[in-house]
Amino acid sequence: MAEEHDSGYKQLFSHPEMVRDLLSGFLPYAWARQLDLAAFERVNASYVSDTGRQRHEDMVWRLKLGAEWVYLYILLEFQSRNDHWMALRMQVYVGLLCQDLVKRRELTHGGKLAPVLPIVLYNGAARWSASTDLAQLMLAPPEGLASLQPGQRYLLIDRHSYHGGAAGAQFNLVAAVFRLEHFRNGEDLIDVVAALADWLNARECEPLRTSLVRWIGARLRHQLKSHNMVFPDDLAEVHTMLTRKFETLADEWEYNGIQRGLERGRQEGHLQADRSRLQFLLQRRFGQLPPAIAARVEAAPAEQLERWFEGLLDADSLDQLVGGA
Protein backbone atom coordinates (compact mmCIF):
# COMPACT_ATOMS: atom_id res chain seq x y z
CA MET A 1 0.00 0.00 0.00
CA ALA A 2 2.88 2.38 0.73
CA GLU A 3 4.23 2.17 -2.82
CA GLU A 4 0.73 2.73 -4.26
CA HIS A 5 0.33 5.71 -1.94
CA ASP A 6 3.65 7.24 -3.02
CA SER A 7 2.72 6.71 -6.66
CA GLY A 8 -0.55 8.55 -6.10
CA TYR A 9 1.26 11.46 -4.50
CA LYS A 10 3.69 11.68 -7.40
CA GLN A 11 0.79 11.81 -9.83
CA LEU A 12 -0.81 14.66 -7.87
CA PHE A 13 2.42 16.65 -7.73
CA SER A 14 2.95 16.34 -11.46
CA HIS A 15 0.46 19.24 -11.69
CA PRO A 16 1.70 22.83 -11.18
CA GLU A 17 -1.38 23.76 -9.13
CA MET A 18 -0.39 21.25 -6.45
CA VAL A 19 3.25 22.36 -6.38
CA ARG A 20 2.27 26.01 -6.14
CA ASP A 21 -0.06 25.32 -3.20
CA LEU A 22 2.61 23.22 -1.51
CA LEU A 23 4.99 26.19 -1.62
CA SER A 24 2.44 28.90 -0.82
CA GLY A 25 0.82 27.01 2.05
CA PHE A 26 3.74 25.27 3.74
CA LEU A 27 6.92 27.28 3.12
CA PRO A 28 7.92 30.10 5.50
CA TYR A 29 9.08 32.39 2.67
CA ALA A 30 7.23 35.49 1.45
CA TRP A 31 8.12 34.86 -2.22
CA ALA A 32 6.42 31.46 -2.07
CA ARG A 33 3.03 33.13 -1.61
CA GLN A 34 3.36 35.27 -4.74
CA LEU A 35 3.86 32.65 -7.48
CA ASP A 36 1.75 32.37 -10.64
CA LEU A 37 1.17 29.07 -12.40
CA ALA A 38 3.00 30.47 -15.42
CA ALA A 39 6.19 30.53 -13.33
CA PHE A 40 6.28 26.71 -13.05
CA GLU A 41 7.91 24.32 -15.49
CA ARG A 42 8.38 20.56 -15.04
CA VAL A 43 11.96 19.38 -15.65
CA ASN A 44 13.13 15.96 -16.80
CA ALA A 45 14.67 14.30 -13.74
CA SER A 46 16.21 11.23 -15.39
CA TYR A 47 19.82 12.21 -14.85
CA VAL A 48 22.70 9.76 -14.61
CA SER A 49 25.67 9.72 -12.24
CA ASP A 50 29.25 9.01 -13.34
CA THR A 51 28.76 5.42 -12.14
CA GLY A 52 25.82 4.96 -14.50
CA ARG A 53 23.13 4.88 -11.83
CA GLN A 54 19.93 6.51 -13.04
CA ARG A 55 16.95 7.93 -11.14
CA HIS A 56 13.59 8.26 -12.85
CA GLU A 57 11.09 9.19 -10.16
CA ASP A 58 12.28 12.54 -8.79
CA MET A 59 9.83 15.42 -9.07
CA VAL A 60 11.82 18.40 -10.31
CA TRP A 61 10.37 21.80 -11.17
CA ARG A 62 11.86 25.18 -11.89
CA LEU A 63 10.41 28.60 -11.22
CA LYS A 64 10.75 32.09 -12.56
CA LEU A 65 11.33 34.46 -9.65
CA GLY A 66 11.42 38.22 -10.02
CA ALA A 67 11.71 40.22 -13.21
CA GLU A 68 14.50 38.07 -14.68
CA TRP A 69 14.69 34.37 -15.32
CA VAL A 70 16.20 32.97 -12.16
CA TYR A 71 15.63 29.25 -11.88
CA LEU A 72 14.90 27.54 -8.61
CA TYR A 73 14.92 23.75 -8.84
CA ILE A 74 12.72 21.90 -6.41
CA LEU A 75 13.29 18.25 -5.53
CA LEU A 76 10.23 16.61 -4.02
CA GLU A 77 11.31 13.38 -2.34
CA PHE A 78 8.20 11.41 -1.36
CA GLN A 79 8.72 9.21 1.69
CA SER A 80 6.30 6.85 3.41
CA ARG A 81 8.85 5.64 5.97
CA ASN A 82 11.46 7.33 8.15
CA ASP A 83 14.90 7.28 6.53
CA HIS A 84 17.78 7.94 8.95
CA TRP A 85 20.13 8.80 6.05
CA MET A 86 17.78 11.08 4.14
CA ALA A 87 20.12 14.09 4.46
CA LEU A 88 22.92 12.05 2.86
CA ARG A 89 20.60 10.81 0.10
CA MET A 90 19.49 14.36 -0.56
CA GLN A 91 23.08 15.50 -0.94
CA VAL A 92 23.56 12.84 -3.64
CA TYR A 93 20.36 13.84 -5.43
CA VAL A 94 21.23 17.54 -5.43
CA GLY A 95 24.72 16.72 -6.66
CA LEU A 96 23.35 14.65 -9.55
CA LEU A 97 20.97 17.44 -10.47
CA CYS A 98 23.72 20.07 -10.45
CA GLN A 99 26.03 17.79 -12.43
CA ASP A 100 23.30 17.32 -15.04
CA LEU A 101 22.74 21.09 -15.29
CA VAL A 102 26.44 21.60 -15.96
CA LYS A 103 26.47 18.89 -18.64
CA ARG A 104 23.46 20.43 -20.38
CA ARG A 105 24.86 23.95 -19.87
CA GLU A 106 21.67 25.13 -18.18
CA LEU A 107 23.34 27.72 -15.98
CA THR A 108 22.35 31.23 -14.92
CA HIS A 109 23.39 34.30 -16.89
CA GLY A 110 26.52 34.56 -14.78
CA GLY A 111 27.52 30.97 -15.54
CA LYS A 112 26.58 29.76 -12.08
CA LEU A 113 24.35 26.96 -10.86
CA ALA A 114 20.78 27.82 -9.91
CA PRO A 115 19.81 27.50 -6.24
CA VAL A 116 18.11 24.26 -5.16
CA LEU A 117 15.28 23.82 -2.67
CA PRO A 118 15.19 20.15 -1.50
CA ILE A 119 11.86 19.13 0.01
CA VAL A 120 10.86 15.90 1.72
CA LEU A 121 7.10 15.48 1.72
CA TYR A 122 6.46 12.80 4.34
CA ASN A 123 3.22 10.82 4.53
CA GLY A 124 4.14 7.85 6.73
CA ALA A 125 2.30 6.45 9.73
CA ALA A 126 4.70 7.67 12.46
CA ARG A 127 6.14 11.15 12.87
CA TRP A 128 9.38 11.90 11.03
CA SER A 129 12.36 11.61 13.39
CA ALA A 130 15.39 11.63 11.05
CA SER A 131 17.75 14.59 11.06
CA THR A 132 17.25 17.21 8.36
CA ASP A 133 20.93 18.22 8.52
CA LEU A 134 23.78 16.06 7.20
CA ALA A 135 26.14 17.57 9.78
CA GLN A 136 24.13 15.88 12.53
CA LEU A 137 24.92 12.48 10.99
CA MET A 138 28.69 12.98 11.04
CA LEU A 139 31.27 12.73 13.82
CA ALA A 140 32.66 16.08 14.89
CA PRO A 141 35.86 16.65 12.85
CA PRO A 142 39.28 17.52 14.28
CA GLU A 143 40.08 21.18 14.81
CA GLY A 144 40.31 23.14 11.56
CA LEU A 145 38.42 20.63 9.40
CA ALA A 146 34.85 21.75 10.14
CA SER A 147 34.67 24.08 7.13
CA LEU A 148 35.79 21.26 4.82
CA GLN A 149 33.01 18.84 5.70
CA PRO A 150 30.06 18.19 3.35
CA GLY A 151 26.85 19.95 4.23
CA GLN A 152 23.25 19.43 3.13
CA ARG A 153 19.90 20.32 4.63
CA TYR A 154 16.38 19.73 3.37
CA LEU A 155 12.99 21.19 4.16
CA LEU A 156 10.64 18.69 5.80
CA ILE A 157 6.90 18.88 5.25
CA ASP A 158 5.32 16.30 7.54
CA ARG A 159 1.57 15.88 7.11
CA HIS A 160 1.39 14.92 10.80
CA SER A 161 2.21 18.53 11.66
CA TYR A 162 -0.92 19.64 9.82
CA HIS A 163 -3.98 19.45 12.08
CA GLY A 164 -6.80 20.58 9.80
CA GLY A 165 -6.45 24.33 9.90
CA ALA A 166 -5.99 26.46 6.82
CA ALA A 167 -2.52 26.47 5.32
CA GLY A 168 -2.84 30.15 4.51
CA ALA A 169 -5.78 32.49 4.12
CA GLN A 170 -7.11 30.97 0.88
CA PHE A 171 -8.19 27.46 -0.11
CA ASN A 172 -5.15 25.25 -0.46
CA LEU A 173 -5.11 22.02 -2.50
CA VAL A 174 -2.37 20.36 -0.48
CA ALA A 175 -4.11 21.19 2.80
CA ALA A 176 -7.26 19.59 1.39
CA VAL A 177 -5.30 16.45 0.48
CA PHE A 178 -3.87 16.31 4.01
CA ARG A 179 -7.40 16.59 5.44
CA LEU A 180 -8.49 13.66 3.29
CA GLU A 181 -5.52 11.66 4.59
CA HIS A 182 -6.91 11.65 8.12
CA PHE A 183 -10.46 12.98 8.16
CA ARG A 184 -12.06 12.85 11.61
CA ASN A 185 -15.64 12.03 10.64
CA GLY A 186 -18.05 11.83 7.74
CA GLU A 187 -18.92 15.53 7.85
CA ASP A 188 -15.24 16.50 7.57
CA LEU A 189 -14.87 14.19 4.58
CA ILE A 190 -17.94 15.62 2.84
CA ASP A 191 -16.84 19.22 3.51
CA VAL A 192 -13.39 18.79 1.96
CA VAL A 193 -14.73 16.93 -1.11
CA ALA A 194 -17.29 19.70 -1.63
CA ALA A 195 -14.58 22.37 -1.31
CA LEU A 196 -12.38 20.56 -3.83
CA ALA A 197 -15.29 20.20 -6.27
CA ASP A 198 -16.10 23.93 -6.02
CA TRP A 199 -12.45 24.92 -6.52
CA LEU A 200 -11.98 22.67 -9.55
CA ASN A 201 -15.29 23.60 -11.18
CA ALA A 202 -14.27 27.25 -11.11
CA ARG A 203 -11.09 26.55 -13.11
CA GLU A 204 -9.96 24.90 -16.32
CA CYS A 205 -7.78 22.10 -14.99
CA GLU A 206 -9.13 18.82 -16.33
CA PRO A 207 -5.87 16.82 -15.89
CA LEU A 208 -5.66 17.74 -12.21
CA ARG A 209 -9.36 16.98 -11.73
CA THR A 210 -8.83 13.47 -13.13
CA SER A 211 -5.80 12.81 -10.92
CA LEU A 212 -7.59 14.04 -7.79
CA VAL A 213 -10.68 11.92 -8.41
CA ARG A 214 -8.56 8.80 -8.89
CA TRP A 215 -6.50 9.53 -5.79
CA ILE A 216 -9.56 10.29 -3.65
CA GLY A 217 -11.27 7.10 -4.80
CA ALA A 218 -8.23 4.99 -3.95
CA ARG A 219 -7.81 6.63 -0.54
CA LEU A 220 -11.48 6.33 0.41
CA ARG A 221 -11.65 2.69 -0.64
CA HIS A 222 -8.67 2.05 1.63
CA GLN A 223 -9.82 4.18 4.57
CA LEU A 224 -13.44 3.01 4.45
CA LYS A 225 -12.23 -0.58 3.89
CA SER A 226 -14.56 -0.90 0.92
CA HIS A 227 -12.23 -2.05 -1.87
CA ASN A 228 -15.13 -2.85 -4.23
CA MET A 229 -16.69 0.60 -4.02
CA VAL A 230 -16.93 2.28 -7.43
CA PHE A 231 -16.50 6.06 -7.48
CA PRO A 232 -17.75 8.40 -10.22
CA ASP A 233 -15.30 10.25 -12.46
CA ASP A 234 -16.46 13.69 -11.28
CA LEU A 235 -15.84 15.22 -7.84
CA ALA A 236 -19.30 16.75 -7.71
CA GLU A 237 -20.77 13.28 -8.25
CA VAL A 238 -18.46 11.88 -5.56
CA HIS A 239 -19.85 14.53 -3.19
CA THR A 240 -23.42 13.57 -4.15
CA MET A 241 -22.58 9.92 -3.56
CA LEU A 242 -21.18 10.61 -0.08
CA THR A 243 -24.20 12.72 0.93
CA ARG A 244 -26.78 10.36 -0.56
CA LYS A 245 -29.80 9.79 1.66
CA PHE A 246 -32.13 6.85 1.02
CA GLU A 247 -35.84 7.34 1.59
CA THR A 248 -36.57 3.63 1.73
CA LEU A 249 -34.70 0.39 2.29
CA ALA A 250 -35.58 -0.58 -1.30
CA ASP A 251 -33.75 2.50 -2.62
CA GLU A 252 -30.64 1.58 -0.67
CA TRP A 253 -30.76 -1.99 -1.95
CA GLU A 254 -31.14 -0.72 -5.53
CA TYR A 255 -28.15 1.63 -5.15
CA ASN A 256 -25.97 -1.10 -3.65
CA GLY A 257 -26.98 -3.40 -6.49
CA ILE A 258 -25.84 -0.79 -9.02
CA GLN A 259 -22.50 -0.55 -7.18
CA ARG A 260 -22.05 -4.31 -7.34
CA GLY A 261 -22.98 -4.32 -11.03
CA LEU A 262 -20.40 -1.62 -11.80
CA GLU A 263 -17.73 -3.59 -9.96
CA ARG A 264 -18.62 -6.78 -11.83
CA GLY A 265 -18.38 -4.86 -15.10
CA ARG A 266 -14.94 -3.56 -14.20
CA GLN A 267 -13.75 -7.07 -13.25
CA GLU A 268 -15.11 -8.48 -16.52
CA GLY A 269 -13.18 -5.83 -18.44
CA HIS A 270 -9.93 -6.87 -16.74
CA LEU A 271 -10.72 -10.55 -17.42
CA GLN A 272 -11.35 -9.94 -21.11
CA ALA A 273 -8.08 -8.02 -21.39
CA ASP A 274 -6.23 -11.01 -19.86
CA ARG A 275 -7.90 -13.36 -22.36
CA SER A 276 -6.85 -11.18 -25.30
CA ARG A 277 -3.29 -10.91 -24.00
CA LEU A 278 -3.01 -14.69 -23.56
CA GLN A 279 -4.29 -15.33 -27.09
CA PHE A 280 -1.71 -12.90 -28.44
CA LEU A 281 1.14 -14.64 -26.55
CA LEU A 282 -0.04 -18.09 -27.59
CA GLN A 283 -0.07 -17.04 -31.25
CA ARG A 284 3.43 -15.59 -30.93
CA ARG A 285 4.65 -18.86 -29.41
CA PHE A 286 2.73 -21.52 -31.34
CA GLY A 287 1.24 -19.81 -34.40
CA GLN A 288 -2.41 -19.42 -35.41
CA LEU A 289 -4.77 -20.81 -32.76
CA PRO A 290 -7.27 -23.52 -33.71
CA PRO A 291 -10.88 -22.34 -33.19
CA ALA A 292 -11.47 -24.85 -30.39
CA ILE A 293 -8.52 -23.57 -28.33
CA ALA A 294 -9.41 -19.92 -29.00
CA ALA A 295 -12.92 -20.70 -27.72
CA ARG A 296 -11.50 -22.31 -24.57
CA VAL A 297 -9.42 -19.20 -23.85
CA GLU A 298 -12.44 -16.92 -24.44
CA ALA A 299 -14.49 -18.90 -21.91
CA ALA A 300 -11.77 -19.44 -19.30
CA PRO A 301 -12.16 -18.01 -15.76
CA ALA A 302 -9.44 -15.91 -14.14
CA GLU A 303 -7.91 -18.83 -12.20
CA GLN A 304 -7.47 -20.91 -15.36
CA LEU A 305 -5.95 -17.98 -17.25
CA GLU A 306 -3.42 -17.50 -14.47
CA ARG A 307 -2.35 -21.16 -14.66
CA TRP A 308 -1.91 -20.89 -18.44
CA PHE A 309 0.16 -17.72 -18.09
CA GLU A 310 2.41 -19.49 -15.56
CA GLY A 311 2.90 -22.53 -17.82
CA LEU A 312 3.35 -20.66 -21.09
CA LEU A 313 7.15 -20.65 -21.12
CA ASP A 314 7.54 -24.30 -20.09
CA ALA A 315 4.95 -25.84 -22.45
CA ASP A 316 6.21 -27.53 -25.62
CA SER A 317 2.88 -27.43 -27.45
CA LEU A 318 -0.60 -25.92 -27.41
CA ASP A 319 -2.09 -29.28 -26.58
CA GLN A 320 0.18 -29.65 -23.56
CA LEU A 321 -0.72 -26.20 -22.22
CA VAL A 322 -4.35 -25.65 -23.19
CA GLY A 323 -5.66 -28.81 -24.83
CA GLY A 324 -4.90 -31.04 -21.90
CA ALA A 325 -5.81 -28.53 -19.16
Side-chain angles (χ1 to χ4, degrees):
M1 184 65 199
E3 292 182 1
E4 178 184 351
H5 194 200
D6 285 354
S7 177
Y9 259 65
K10 287 171 183 172
Q11 181 62 38
L12 289 180
F13 285 93
S14 66
H15 300 283
E17 296 91 347
M18 291 292 296
V19 180
R20 180 187 61 181
D21 278 17
L22 179 72
L23 300 186
S24 65
F26 295 87
L27 266 61
Y29 314 128
W31 57 262
R33 293 185 288 275
Q34 302 171 5
L35 297 171
D36 296 326
L37 283 179
F40 290 80
E41 181 180 344
R42 180 81 178 272
V43 177
N44 178 18
S46 294
Y47 37 80
V48 184
S49 69
D50 290 336
T51 61
R53 185 176 181 181
Q54 189 167 11
R55 291 179 51 80
H56 293 282
E57 297 184 345
D58 288 324
M59 301 290 295
V60 182
W61 293 80
R62 60 183 179 181
L63 313 174
K64 183 179 181 182
L65 298 176
E68 298 185 6
W69 281 101
V70 178
Y71 290 89
L72 176 67
Y73 285 78
I74 304 170
L75 277 72
L76 296 176
E77 181 67 23
F78 298 93
Q79 283 293 114
S80 58
R81 297 171 299 277
N82 260 280
D83 185 342
H84 177 75
W85 298 105
M86 175 52 71
L88 177 60
R89 287 179 56 199
M90 193 63 77
Q91 184 191 46
V92 174
Y93 301 163
V94 171
L96 286 174
L97 174 59
C98 291
Q99 178 179 275
D100 186 64
L101 293 177
V102 171
K103 288 181 178 179
R104 291 191 281 113
R105 299 184 179 180
E106 293 192 6
L107 305 175
T108 64
H109 293 301
K112 295 185 177 182
L113 288 163
V116 179
L117 170 59
I119 296 177
V120 171
L121 178 57
Y122 176 63
N123 50 34
R127 285 187 175 274
W128 186 262
S129 58
S131 174
T132 59
D133 187 350
L134 179 58
Q136 300 299 318
L137 303 178
M138 302 182 67
L139 187 67
E143 182 179 357
L145 298 186
S147 62
L148 303 177
Q149 303 309 300
Q152 176 67 60
R153 294 183 181 182
Y154 60 86
L155 182 66
L156 174 68
I157 299 178
D158 185 348
R159 72 174 178 87
H160 289 280
S161 64
Y162 172 71
H163 299 292
Q170 299 179 343
F171 177 82
N172 187 282
L173 285 168
V174 180
V177 166
F178 283 177
R179 284 181 64 188
L180 283 172
E181 287 276 28
H182 48 100
F183 58 87
R184 294 181 295 274
N185 50 54
E187 291 183 0
D188 191 34
L189 169 62
I190 292 169
D191 287 346
V192 69
V193 171
L196 278 169
D198 290 343
W199 189 93
L200 290 169
N201 288 336
R203 292 162 178 81
E204 294 292 334
C205 47
E206 185 61 32
L208 174 59
R209 182 182 292 108
T210 300
S211 295
L212 271 170
V213 170
R214 290 175 178 172
W215 183 84
I216 290 171
R219 293 304 301 158
L220 292 183
R221 279 191 291 271
H222 173 69
Q223 290 171 282
L224 299 176
K225 306 201 182 302
S226 180
H227 300 290
N228 294 329
M229 183 178 291
V230 178
F231 283 86
D233 295 329
D234 183 84
L235 270 180
E237 294 181 17
V238 173
H239 179 258
T240 300
M241 174 183 175
L242 293 172
T243 56
R244 187 182 301 274
K245 298 291 190 296
F246 298 101
E247 294 184 2
T248 67
L249 182 62
D251 292 338
E252 185 172 359
W253 273 85
E254 179 182 0
Y255 175 76
N256 290 333
I258 292 173
Q259 282 287 310
R260 288 191 292 271
L262 289 171
E263 177 60 22
R264 283 195 298 270
R266 184 167 62 179
Q267 291 176 350
E268 181 60 32
H270 292 317
L271 184 59
Q272 190 57 46
D274 286 342
R275 289 166 176 159
S276 298
R277 188 166 66 254
L278 180 60
Q279 287 193 43
F280 172 78
L281 293 175
L282 289 174
Q283 290 183 33
R284 289 289 299 272
R285 178 84 190 279
F286 301 111
Q288 187 65 33
L289 300 182
I293 289 184
R296 291 200 65 185
V297 174
E298 279 296 321
E303 297 79 8
Q304 181 63 74
L305 291 173
E306 184 176 353
R307 287 194 293 270
W308 285 338
F309 274 119
E310 291 175 353
L312 181 60
L313 294 179
D314 297 326
D316 295 324
S317 66
L318 268 173
D319 186 65
Q320 180 183 353
L321 179 66
V322 181

